[in-house]
Structure formats: structure tokens, C-alpha cells
């Protein structure tokens, strides 16, 4: 996510972009029209088929809050899997924080690269990101959705604090905020949160590192743009 006053990006980023042969990103959002949900194949994988709905996969409290706050008909929400509810809840949070997903750094760099004819490589791609989302433990995703929707003002302020620390380059504050956001969660969810962190961060870091080594070995200059989670700590 981002805001208009972030741009243009700083000199170091501009130099890296100019000197790179390749822009490497987690997922080419620009080619997908700005959202992973513009892919019908992806969207259908996040919907339940006949005879099943989300009410059996979320706590009653989280389900009721989602129906109240996600701004979609209950009949539609019932057919969505928890990962899609999670994304909808994040969208509520982003809007509440006054930020815009279309102004994130990866999307801005992708738009520019496509317009300039620069080669774009995906470090993961749609299928890998889909698999990661769908493998998040249900009790964790329930807790995350509940946290975002039960106190949206506090959650939006947390996102703004994270964004401002990132803009300042305040590594200490970012590390603290990121550690908090990947939660230490409730004690009874510690094991599930460990699995969540491995799915979203650590196992993906291994893949990103291997790709970076491959670029170095090939002599190809790559500007690698990934989320802050993957850089700190």
C-alpha cells in the first residue's frame, strides 16, 4: 500500500531501477490488472462449492462481524473461503488508514517497467501465492479477521504506524511492529501462528534468497522488490 506523496521514489531506488536488467517481484500485479482477484481462476479457488460454506470454518463472532462490516450480501460472503474474507478485511483496513493498494511500491515499479519495456520476473507467481494463502491455519485467519473487524480504528492506526516507520526507514520500529503484527497471538494459538509465519515469511524467504543467488551467478542485474516482512530481522 502507499500514498501519492511517496513519489517519486528516492535516488537509490531510481538508480537501482535504471541500472537493472530485470525487475523481480513476488507477483506481477500489473499484468493482473492491479488485483489477484481479477483472475477468475484464482477467485474460484477461494469459493466453496455446493453444500459447503464459511460458517463451518469461522467462529460465530467472526462470522457475524464479517456479515456486518464487509459490505457484501451474506449469501455471497457465505460462499467465500477464509482467505478471501481476510483480504476483504484488509481492504477495509487500508481504506480506514487512508492508504491505497494501487499506490504500493511493487505496483508502481511494475507499471513503470511494463511501460518502459523492462523485463519482469515473478519470484512466486499466482499459483504459489494462492497456495500460501489457502494453507494459512483457519484458527489463525479467524483471529486475524476478528482483530481487524472488531476494532478497525485501532487496526488502521497500527497499519499507519507500520507505514510511517517504513517511510522513515526506522528499522528498529519496523522490527518491533512487524513482530507484533505476526503475533505472538493468543498463547493457545502459538503453534498455529508459528506455522502462519513459516508459510508467509520464512519458507518464502528461502525461495527469494535462492532466486537472488541465481541472478548473481548469471550476471543479470535484478532489482528485487518484495515486502518489508522479507527484509528485516
Amino acid at each position: 500500500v502507499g500514498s501519492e506523496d511517496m513519489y517519486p521514489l528516492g535516488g537509490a531506488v531510481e538508480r537501482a531501477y535504471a541500472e537493472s536488467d530485470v525487475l523481480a517481484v513476488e507477483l506481477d500485479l500489473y499484468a493482473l490488472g492491479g488485483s489477484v482477484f481479477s483472475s477468475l481462476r484464482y477467485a474460484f479457488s477461494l469459493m466453496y462449492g455446493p453444500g459447503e460454506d464459511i460458517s463451518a470454518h469461522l467462529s460465530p463472532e467472526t462470522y457475524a462481524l464479517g456479515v456486518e462490516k464487509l459490505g457484501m450480501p451474506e449469501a455471497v460472503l457465505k460462499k467465500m473461503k477464509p482467505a478471501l474474507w481476510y483480504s476483504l478485511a484488509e481492504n477495509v483496513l487500508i481504506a480506514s488508514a487512508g492508504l491505497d493498494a494501487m499506490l504500493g511500491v511493487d505496483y508502481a515499479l511494475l507499471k513503470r517497467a511494463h511501460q518502459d519495456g523492462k523485463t519482469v520476473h515473478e519470484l512466486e507467481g499466482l499459483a504459489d501465492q494462492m497456495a500460501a494463502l489457502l494453507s494459512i491455519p483457519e484458527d489463525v485467519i479467524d483471529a486475524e479477521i476478528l482483530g481487524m473487524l472488531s476494532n478497525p480504528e485501532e487496526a488502521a492506526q497500527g497499519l499507519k504506524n507500520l507505514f510511517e516507520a517504513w517511510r522513515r526507514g526506522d528499522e528498529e520500529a519496523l522490527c518491533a511492529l512487524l513482530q507484533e503484527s505476526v503475533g505472538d497471538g493468543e498463547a493457545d494459538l502459538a503453534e498455529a501462528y508459528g506455522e502462519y509465519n513459516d508459510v508467509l515469511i520464512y519458507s518464502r524467504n528461502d525461495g527469494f534468497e535462492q532466486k537472488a543467488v541465481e541472478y548473481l551467478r548469471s550476471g543479470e542485474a535484478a532489482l528485487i522488490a518484495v515486502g518489508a516482512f522479507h527484509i528485516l530481522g
Side-chain angles (χ1 to χ4, degrees):
V1 299
S3 60
E4 288 185 0
D5 58 357
M6 283 167 38
Y7 298 97
L9 296 169
V13 179
E14 293 295 332
R15 286 192 300 276
Y17 178 86
E19 294 169 6
S20 63
D21 303 312
V22 169
L23 172 66
V25 294
E26 296 176 23
L27 175 69
D28 190 348
L29 281 170
Y30 189 81
L32 287 171
S35 170
V36 290
F37 302 111
S38 61
S39 166
L40 285 176
R41 178 167 61 90
Y42 187 89
F44 282 128
S45 73
L46 295 179
M47 304 292 287
Y48 290 112
E52 189 176 10
D53 65 56
I54 199 168
S55 61
H57 301 272
L58 292 178
S59 67
E61 183 182 5
T62 302
Y63 179 80
L65 263 177
V67 170
E68 177 188 347
K69 299 195 173 189
L70 291 179
M72 299 184 74
E74 183 174 2
V76 175
L77 288 169
K78 285 185 79 166
K79 300 306 291 183
M80 294 178 174
K81 292 182 180 178
L84 192 44
W85 274 49
Y86 180 83
S87 182
L88 292 173
E90 279 193 324
N91 288 341
V92 171
L93 194 64
I94 290 165
S96 299
L99 298 170
D100 188 339
M102 299 294 282
L103 291 171
V105 170
D106 53 352
Y107 187 79
L109 287 171
L110 279 162
K111 181 177 180 181
R112 186 170 168 186
H114 279 279
Q115 291 172 345
D116 292 347
K118 187 183 288 287
T119 300
V120 173
H121 287 177
E122 291 186 314
L123 297 171
E124 294 179 319
L126 191 59
D128 288 342
Q129 289 217 337
M130 179 173 63
L133 271 176
L134 291 173
S135 66
I136 297 172
E138 283 188 354
D139 47 2
V140 170
I141 213 164
D142 185 289
E144 292 291 305
I145 295 167
L146 182 62
M148 287 188 275
L149 297 181
S150 61
N151 196 339
E153 294 81 9
E154 181 180 323
Q157 186 59 54
L159 178 58
K160 285 193 278 190
N161 292 343
L162 187 64
F163 176 67
E164 290 302 330
W166 172 81
R167 287 190 67 172
R168 294 193 308 272
D170 187 340
E171 185 170 351
E172 185 177 349
L174 267 175
C175 283
L177 288 164
L178 290 171
Q179 181 59 44
E180 182 181 312
S181 70
V182 291
D184 296 310
E186 301 295 331
D188 58 345
L189 291 181
E191 184 175 342
Y193 263 98
E195 183 182 339
Y196 170 74
N197 293 340
D198 186 62
V199 166
L200 289 187
I201 305 169
Y202 306 122
S203 63
R204 294 170 66 206
N205 283 352
D206 291 341
F208 295 159
E209 180 185 35
Q210 183 56 44
K211 291 288 179 66
V213 169
E214 289 171 10
Y215 288 127
L216 290 169
R217 285 177 175 161
S218 72
E220 201 168 30
L223 170 56
I224 300 177
V226 295
F229 269 121
H230 301 293
I231 296 171
L232 296 163

